[in-house]
């Protein structure tokens, strides 16, 4: 439970809504899946677990089925312990919500994180959460119990954007605490120095973690549609600028293109998945994109192992 | 720098508009809490400096546009150009239209009095101004120069009076421009005070207007022209009614005593309605002779004929007066001088060998005496023909008025000397050479020795094609009737051959005591420029020397209608008469002074030095010598006096000037002794230029139009001298507008998704 703040009725309702929303999304995306996309790879048997739709048929323990007339899956040590840490950026810039978006980037990230956690827990995997801005705000350890999901939602609901970004610093703080290898999911706009961010993520990769970065954009940030004279005030309280948007537009869009290209190249060099999305995209589409990427990674890994 | 429309400079305040809009726009903007600030700042860093100076430049241009527009409308003048005076002093040439039409009655006084009053106001206001005062009609510089005081100018203005002449705008403005160019003050103004009649101004062609405008602006300092409309007409589209009368002119011959003479008079009605029962009074020598009533249609004319008979020889005046209570007074009387006398005695010396038709001289004889025996009295010339071989000195004893040598051969020495003496005594000589002329004898006898001929005869010239005469005014008494074609058209003459006339080699030695020869005057020229008719004085006589003969072989003269009047006028001119005394106002005139019997022409002590012209009165002898009002003096040189012209219509007497301390014999006679000066007909049409036409003329000349002295003074108060630069400012304004559009589109592109 987050320290210093009790859960209230509003939070509860928000949590319930978030839970409902996430389950809907996850159920939709899990339909038709025959195999858990997040399954670990190990030979050391750990336990059985009940078969759920989507598990591979070959993993069913047919002997136990013969004894108990129920379907169980044989699970191995690592397979049961896919540990995913969701790192939610709640810096001020994540609070931007454009005129064409139903949600701010932060709200979008919260929902995406909820979906992600729900998906993982439903796969019997463990998930944790860290919220941060200029420093780490809340940390929820990685757990696999279904009730853990509620705590996680509670943290998500409590999360509010507003401070400056310190993603690289946060990663350096949080990374050493995760001894076991796992999956790091970064939900952020990545509005930070690319070098320092990539350096922090590189250290995660060196520690054996898999890293996925969801870069969340508001459509306004991508096409800069403003016409009249505008004073842009920083959401991170770093200043303000009165500009003529029509004059600045070309230059701004050029800078956006450069920024995205640089980030893409830098992360690709570290074999870090970058999934750029906008707040108007469907969550399922984003998750499907993630799952497809992940499958590709597993196939690549398997091919590498056979060689 | 100064401004012609200072009030419009207030428009400069309009520069506040773009400033306010700018400030307003600065406070009107939307606020967006923005996330991708580092990207925005990065773009701003790249654009900020360039955008900032462009914004300021755009603001500056937008502020400059109303400022430049306001300054442009205020018509700035760079006084540092051209004009150096800072004390506001000026030079003004005042030209008063003193033409006849200015005598028209206006509201309380005549238009001319109003014009003089206007000029007086200007002179009084600009006391320290260098002022030149001109009258338009005679182009006379009444008073000029910086030394003339206001009192002198006022006095000169008081002495002005309306003439009977017309105004020629081209001459008048050209004179004004010359006068303005001589002003010492670089700020120069011409003020033309006139009633601006359509008849005077409509004749100006666009080319002439452009030429005048160039003269106004192309001098060392520009000259400002102002039209001051003194007509006091509220509606310039309507013409004032007026009537005038004039003699229908045919060239006037000398009439004979007791002969019935017919005088045709034309009455012209310039009014818009018919005039009925107009009373015409015909007078001779101041005595009313007859009266007639006449109806004249609107805008038309009517001719009336009067008959009269002169019983005595001499000069007689004829007048015809029309009753016109509403129009101009000065054009209601027409004047005519008639010379009554016996026929001119002509001795025609021919070269024919035997009696009969002689192609050389018979045409001349016919031209002088065209009437046969029964109508002998109708001939104005009594011609005695004699062959040169038969001519003896005794034939010259009955002194003829004119000797005509037509194809005459060599004369014997005594006859030659007798003719020269006759000419010296006042007889006229006309020489028509033929192709057989003994030029050696004639040049030796009459050109080199006696200096009787004005030019020497040369060889025979035969052009490839018959040549006409050079078209040029003759301007010589009696012969000037051919200038306007009223006595015949000389342009139809064609010449196949003629004798060359040359100035000859002047000999220093002069034989005997023959009179000094004046430089010859060429009255007619062939189309190639060679002389056709030369004229000179010899003693009291006149010599006409022709290069042509009267023969039909060498020219088509005898078959031309103008041949008879030409021969008659040439003979009459040689007979000693100088002019017929009938003139229009402003027409130049030559006077001739004749010595009384018993006094030699060379007697310098007794010879009058000037001829005096005074208005004619019946009791002329009573006019005291000191009565100088309207009196003109013409200096005499070689018994001749050239007068530029009279500008007051009426009858004038010409007489030797009488000086109080000189003993001048009163017996000296002046020819013509009387003048009939008629007013200019065009001034009788009082149709003024319409306001639009007047403004159009003013625009073409770059002039301004004012209607009063105060308006002119206030105009000068706002006018400064220098170079107007509004055109350049207009160009600058267009450039600014163009720059604003370009910069605006650059800073605020329209095509944003």
């Amino acid at each position: 439970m987050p320290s210093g703040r009790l859960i209230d009725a509003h939070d509860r309702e928000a949590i319930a809504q978030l839970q409902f929303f996430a389950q809907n999304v996850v159920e939709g995306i899990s339909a038709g899946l025959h195999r858990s996309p997040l399954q670990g790879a190990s030979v050391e048997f750990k336990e059985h677990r009940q078969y759920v739709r989507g598990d591979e048929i070959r993993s069913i323990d047919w002997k136990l089925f013969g004894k108990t007339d129920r379907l169980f899956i044989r699970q191995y040590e690592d397979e049961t312990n896919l540990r995913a840490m969701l790192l939610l950026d709640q810096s001020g810039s994540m609070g931007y919500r454009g005129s064409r978006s139903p949600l701010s980037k932060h709200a979008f990230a919260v929902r995406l994180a909820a979906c992600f956690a729900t998906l993982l827990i439903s796969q019997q995997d463990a998930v944790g959460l860290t919220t941060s801005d200029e420093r780490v705000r809340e940390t929820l350890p990685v757990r696999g119990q279904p009730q853990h999901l509620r705590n996680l939602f509670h943290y998500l609901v409590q999360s509010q954007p507003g401070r400056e970004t310190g993603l690289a610093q946060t990663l350096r703080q949080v990374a050493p605490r995760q001894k076991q290898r796992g999956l790091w999911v970064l939900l952020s706009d990545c509005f930070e120095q690319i070098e320092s961010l990539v350096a922090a993520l590189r250290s995660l990769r060196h520690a054996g973690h898999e890293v996925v970065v969801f870069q969340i954009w508001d459509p306004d940030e991508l096409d800069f549609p403003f016409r009249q004279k505008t004073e842009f005030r920083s959401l991170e309280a770093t200043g303000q600028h009165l500009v003529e948007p029509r004059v600045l537009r070309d230059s701004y869009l050029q800078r956006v293109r450069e920024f995205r290209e640089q980030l893409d190249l830098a992360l690709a060099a570290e074999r870090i998945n970058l999934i750029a999305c906008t707040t108007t995209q469907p969550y399922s589409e984003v998750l499907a994109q993630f799952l497809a990427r992940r499958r590709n990674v597993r196939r690549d890994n398997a091919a590498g192992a056979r060689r | 720098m100064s401004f012609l429309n200072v009030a419009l400079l207030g428009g400069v305040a309009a520069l506040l508009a773009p400033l306010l809009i700018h400030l307003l726009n600065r406070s009107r903007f939307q606020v967006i809490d923005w996330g991708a600030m580092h990207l925005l700042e990065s773009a701003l860093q790249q654009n900020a400096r360039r955008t900032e100076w462009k914004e300021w430049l755009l603001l500056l241009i937008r502020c400059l546009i109303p400022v430049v527009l306001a300054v442009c409308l205020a018509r700035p003048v760079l006084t540092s150009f051209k004009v150096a005076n800072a004390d506001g002093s000026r030079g003004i040439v005042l030209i008063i239209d003193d033409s006849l039409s200015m005598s028209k009655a206006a509201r309380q006084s005549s238009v001319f009095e109003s014009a003089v009053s206007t000029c007086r106001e200007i002179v009084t206001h600009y006391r320290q101004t260098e002022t030149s005062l001109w009258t338009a009609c005679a182009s006379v510089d009444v008073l000029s120069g910086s030394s003339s005081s206001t009192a002198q100018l006022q006095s000169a203005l008081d002495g002005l009076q309306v003439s009977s002449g017309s105004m020629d705008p081209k001459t008048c403005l050209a004179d004004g421009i010359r006068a303005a160019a001589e002003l010492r003050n670089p700020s120069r103004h011409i003020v033309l005070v006139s009633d601006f009649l359509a008849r005077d101004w409509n004749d100006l062609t666009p080319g002439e207007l452009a030429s005048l405008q160039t003269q106004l602006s192309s001098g060392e300092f520009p000259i400002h022209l102002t039209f001051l409309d003194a007509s006091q007409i509220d509606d310039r589209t309507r013409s004032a009614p007026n009537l005038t009368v004039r003699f229908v002119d045919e060239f006037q011959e000398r009439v004979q005593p007791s002969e019935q003479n017919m005088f045709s008079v034309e009455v012209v009605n310039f009014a818009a309605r018919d005039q009925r029962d107009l009373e015409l009074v015909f007078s001779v020598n101041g005595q009313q002779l007859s009266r007639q009533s006449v109806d004249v249609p609107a805008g038309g004319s009517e001719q009336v004929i009067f008959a009269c008979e002169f019983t005595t020889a001499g000069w007689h005046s004829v007048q015809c007066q029309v009753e016109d209570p509403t129009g101009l007074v000065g054009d209601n009387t027409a004047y005519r001088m008639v010379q009554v006398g016996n026929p001119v005695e002509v001795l025609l010396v021919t070269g024919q060998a035997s009696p009969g038709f002689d192609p050389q001289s018979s045409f001349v004889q016919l031209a002088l005496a065209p009437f046969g025996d029964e109508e002998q009295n109708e001939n104005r010339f009594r011609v005695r023909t004699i062959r040169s071989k038969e001519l003896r000195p005794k034939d010259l004893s009955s002194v003829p008025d004119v000797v005509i040598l037509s194809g005459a051969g060599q004369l014997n020495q005594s006859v030659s000397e007798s003719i020269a003496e006759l000419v010296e005594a006042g007889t006229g000589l006309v020489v028509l050479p033929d192709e057989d002329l003994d030029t050696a004898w004639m040049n030796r006898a009459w050109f080199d020795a006696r200096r009787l001929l004005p030019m020497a005869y040369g060889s025979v010239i035969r052009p490839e094609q018959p040549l006409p005469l050079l078209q040029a005014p003759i301007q010589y008494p009696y012969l000037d009737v051919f200038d306007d074609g009223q006595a015949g058209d000389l342009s139809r003459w064609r010449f196949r051959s003629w004798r060359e006339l040359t100035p000859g080699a002047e000999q220093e030695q002069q034989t005997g005591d023959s009179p000094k020869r004046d430089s010859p005057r060429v009255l007619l020229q062939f189309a190639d420029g060679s002389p056709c008719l030369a004229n000179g004085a010899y003693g009291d006589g006149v010599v006409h020397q022709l290069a042509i003969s009267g023969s039909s072989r060498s020219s088509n003269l005898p078959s031309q209608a103008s041949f008879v009047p030409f021969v008659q006028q040439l003979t009459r001119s040689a007979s000693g008469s100088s002019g017929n005394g009938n003139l229009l106002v402003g027409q130049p005139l030559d006077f001739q002074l004749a010595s009384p019997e018993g006094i030699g022409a060379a007697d310098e002590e007794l010879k009058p030095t000037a001829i005096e012209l005074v208005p004619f009165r019946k009791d002329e002898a009573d006019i005291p010598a000191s009565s100088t009002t309207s009196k003109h003096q013409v200096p005499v040189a070689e018994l001749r006096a050239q007068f530029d012209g009279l500008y007051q219509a009426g009858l004038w007497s010409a007489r030797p000037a009488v000086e109080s301390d000189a003993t001048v014999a009163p017996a000296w006679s002046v020819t013509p002794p009387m003048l009939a000066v008629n007013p200019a007909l065009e001034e009788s049409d009082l149709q003024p230029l319409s306001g639009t036409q007047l403004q159009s003329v003013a625009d073409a000349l770059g002039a301004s139009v004012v209607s009063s002295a105060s308006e002119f003074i206030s105009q000068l108060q706002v006018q400064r001298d220098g170079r107007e630069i509004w055109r350049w400012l207009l160009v600058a304004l267009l450039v600014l507008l163009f720059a604003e559009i370009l910069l605006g589109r650059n800073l605020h592109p329209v095509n944003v998704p």
Side-chain angles (χ1 to χ4, degrees), chain A residues 93 96 191 224 226-227 229-235 241-244 246-249 251-252 255-256 259, chain B residues 25 29-44 46-47 51 747-749 752-753:
Chain A
S93 64
Y96 180 72
F191 287 168
F224 208 64
F226 311 106
R227 280 175 169 273
K229 186 172 268 189
T230 307
E231 184 178 86
F232 291 95
R233 291 180 183 167
S234 173
L235 283 163
H241 297 285
L242 183 64
V243 298
E244 186 63 60
R246 289 179 295 188
V247 179
L248 202 63
R249 183 171 182 271
S251 180
Y252 171 84
R255 294 297 303 143
V256 168
F259 176 72
Chain B
N25 276 345
F29 54 84
Q30 65 175 354
V31 176
I32 288 179
D33 292 324
W34 186 247
M37 209 62 176
H38 71 296
L39 296 173
L40 187 73
E41 285 171 347
S42 175
L44 270 174
Q46 191 178 346
N47 269 12
T51 307
L747 281 174
H748 308 292
V752 173

Side-chain angles (χ1 to χ4, degrees), chain A residues 86-126:
Chain A
L86 305 177
L87 183 55
L88 177 65
D89 180 7
Q90 61 174 30
S91 64
S93 64
M94 289 291 286
Y96 180 72
R97 177 191 164 191
S99 56
R100 292 171 289 172
S101 303
L103 296 168
S104 69
K105 291 193 288 182
H106 178 263
F108 183 87
V110 163
R111 294 192 176 203
L112 191 59
C115 294
F116 212 83
T118 304
L119 179 65
L120 289 170
I121 292 294
S122 68
Q123 300 277 6
Q124 307 295 323
D125 293 326

Side-chain angles (χ1 to χ4, degrees), chain A:
Chain A
M1 295 291 286
S3 59
R5 190 171 183 277
L6 295 174
I7 192 165
D8 58 16
H10 179 265
D11 286 347
R12 188 172 293 117
E13 189 180 343
I15 291 167
Q17 283 179 357
L18 192 60
Q19 194 167 16
F20 179 74
F21 166 79
Q23 277 176 350
N24 274 346
V25 173
V26 169
E27 279 178 12
I29 199 166
S30 300
L33 284 179
H34 299 291
R35 186 178 174 187
S36 173
L38 304 177
Q39 195 173 29
S42 176
V43 291
E44 190 178 344
F45 175 76
K46 186 184 177 188
E47 61 181 1
H48 284 96
R49 70 166 173 83
Q50 200 163 1
Y51 171 79
V52 294
R53 193 166 57 185
D55 286 343
E56 287 188 26
I57 301 297
R58 67 177 182 176
S59 303
I60 296 174
D61 190 338
W62 295 110
K63 288 181 180 175
L64 195 56
F65 174 70
K67 291 176 185 173
T68 62
D69 205 19
R70 294 173 64 183
L71 291 172
F72 285 95
I73 297 293
R74 291 171 65 87
Q75 289 195 317
Y76 299 88
E77 185 65 26
D78 277 351
E79 193 176 0
T80 56
N81 282 332
L82 175 65
R83 305 168 65 83
M85 174 58 81
L86 305 177
L87 183 55
L88 177 65
D89 180 7
Q90 61 174 30
S91 64
S93 64
M94 289 291 286
Y96 180 72
R97 177 191 164 191
S99 56
R100 292 171 289 172
S101 303
L103 296 168
S104 69
K105 291 193 288 182
H106 178 263
F108 183 87
V110 163
R111 294 192 176 203
L112 191 59
C115 294
F116 212 83
T118 304
L119 179 65
L120 289 170
I121 292 294
S122 68
Q123 300 277 6
Q124 307 295 323
D125 293 326
V127 64
L129 175 68
T130 298
T131 59
S132 75
D133 39 47
E134 57 197 1
R135 61 187 178 85
V136 176
R137 292 294 168 190
E138 302 290 349
T139 303
L140 188 66
V142 178
R143 294 283 187 273
Q145 295 87 351
Q147 60 270 25
H148 177 64
L149 197 57
R150 188 168 178 79
N151 288 340
L152 192 141
F153 283 178
H154 177 70
Y155 278 108
L156 287 175
V157 167
Q158 293 289 317
S159 171
Q160 291 294 329
R163 305 287 182 90
E164 288 187 39
T165 307
L167 209 52
Q169 190 182 350
T170 305
L171 282 169
R172 281 190 213 99
Q173 285 177 10
V174 177
R177 297 178 197 165
Q178 296 296 320
K179 301 295 183 190
Q180 290 178 290
R181 289 188 300 166
L183 174 68
W184 281 77
V185 178
L186 180 58
L187 301 159
S188 171
D189 52 14
C190 301
F191 287 168
E192 173 137 4
Q193 290 258 334
I194 291 176
E195 293 78 13
S196 57
L197 177 63
V198 171
L201 293 173
R202 187 186 298 128
S203 63
L204 283 176
R205 287 290 294 154
H206 287 173
H209 297 293
E210 191 180 341
V211 181
V212 176
V213 176
F214 286 91
Q215 189 184 18
I216 301 165
W217 292 90
D218 189 275
D220 287 358
E221 292 172 334
L222 290 176
D223 55 18
F224 208 64
F226 311 106
R227 280 175 169 273
Q228 65 185 97
K229 186 172 268 189
T230 307
E231 184 178 86
F232 291 95
R233 291 180 183 167
S234 173
L235 283 163
E236 297 180 6
T238 55
Q240 60 201 35
H241 297 285
L242 183 64
V243 298
E244 186 63 60
R246 289 179 295 188
V247 179
L248 202 63
R249 183 171 182 271
D250 287 346
S251 180
Y252 171 84
L253 294 181
Q254 176 66 24
R255 294 297 303 143
V256 168
R257 274 195 298 275
E258 289 171 6
F259 176 72
R260 294 182 70 175
E261 284 170 8
Q262 286 172 11
L263 185 65
D264 202 13
L265 284 173
L267 293 181
E270 301 300 331
R271 300 185 68 188
I272 297 171
N273 276 321
L274 173 65
I275 297 171
C277 54
T278 64
T279 53
T280 52
Q281 268 185 281
Y283 301 94
S284 56
E285 183 183 314
V286 179
L287 283 177
Q289 196 177 355
F290 163 70
L291 293 174
R293 290 272 185 95
R294 172 121 189 106
R295 242 192 322 271
N296 291 341
V297 169
R298 282 170 58 85
R299 190 166 54 237
D300 292 346
N301 287 343
R306 276 197 296 275
R307 278 195 297 272

Side-chain angles (χ1 to χ4, degrees), chain B residues 112-132:
Chain B
F112 184 74
E113 286 167 350
S114 164
V116 170
S117 169
T118 301
C119 291
R120 199 173 283 125
E121 272 186 66
I122 294 172
V123 167
T124 308
H125 187 272
Y126 294 105
R127 288 177 181 280
Q128 303 302 320
T129 302
E130 185 185 10
T131 306
S132 177

Side-chain angles (χ1 to χ4, degrees), chain B residues 460-722:
Chain B
V460 176
I461 306 291
R462 289 190 179 84
E464 293 180 3
Q465 296 290 331
L467 275 188
L469 287 176
L470 190 71
Q471 295 294 313
I474 303 176
Q475 291 186 344
Y476 191 78
Y478 284 106
L479 295 180
D480 55 5
V481 294
F482 296 99
D483 285 345
D484 55 4
Q486 60 174 306
D489 186 9
L490 303 190
S491 65
R492 303 168 73 92
W493 292 6
R494 293 293 182 273
F495 300 93
R496 289 182 283 274
S497 67
W498 64 82
R499 276 277 171 193
E500 188 182 17
L501 285 177
T502 60
E506 286 290 341
Q507 292 184 358
E508 292 302 323
Q509 294 176 351
Q510 193 169 331
T511 327
D513 56 352
S514 60
K516 186 183 175 186
R517 177 168 55 205
D518 290 334
S519 56
R521 181 175 174 182
V522 177
L523 303 180
L524 287 175
Q525 287 175 283
F526 297 106
D528 65 354
S530 54
C532 174
L533 170 62
N535 161 265
Y538 186 78
D540 287 348
V542 176
V543 180
H544 287 317
Q545 184 181 10
L546 287 119
I548 55 175
S549 70
S551 162
S552 58
R553 287 202 300 265
S554 60
S555 68
N556 64 349
L557 255 66
S559 63
Q560 295 298 310
S562 53
F563 179 67
V564 170
F566 177 75
V567 172
Q568 291 194 359
Q569 292 297 89
L570 189 70
T571 309
R572 191 172 286 122
S573 167
S575 70
S577 301
S578 179
N580 57 15
N582 290 306
L583 304 166
L584 282 174
V585 282
Q587 190 176 348
L589 181 71
D590 277 9
F591 288 102
Q592 217 169 26
L593 201 64
S595 59
E597 291 293 331
I599 299 179
D603 197 340
E604 295 293 333
E605 287 184 7
L606 296 175
K607 191 166 65 177
T609 55
I611 289 173
E612 191 176 66
L613 292 171
V614 291
F616 172 76
R617 296 180 191 175
K618 285 185 70 182
D619 48 352
E620 186 182 345
D622 298 338
I623 300 174
S626 59
S627 173
T628 56
T629 308
S630 303
K631 193 166 75 174
H632 301 272
Q633 285 211 339
V634 193
V636 172
E638 299 293 336
L639 295 177
R640 290 184 182 278
Q642 284 194 326
F643 187 51
D644 290 339
L646 281 165
Y647 286 89
Q648 297 295 333
L651 296 170
W652 292 76
S653 287
R655 63 190 185 189
V658 179
E659 294 178 25
S660 56
D661 56 345
T663 53
V664 179
W668 286 81
S669 64
V670 177
T671 307
M674 285 182 67
L675 300 175
V677 181
N678 284 286
L681 182 65
E682 56 266 29
E683 286 295 314
S684 299
D685 184 357
L686 298 176
Q687 173 70 51
L689 279 179
S690 70
T692 315
Q693 288 173 323
L694 180 58
Q695 191 59 52
S696 168
V697 172
D699 290 344
L701 291 170
S704 51
V705 181
V706 296
S707 58
S708 66
S710 56
E711 195 178 342
F712 169 70
I713 290 163
S714 61
Q715 174 190 282
L716 248 65
Q717 281 172 346
V718 297
Q719 188 173 351
R720 300 293 182 268
D721 298 289

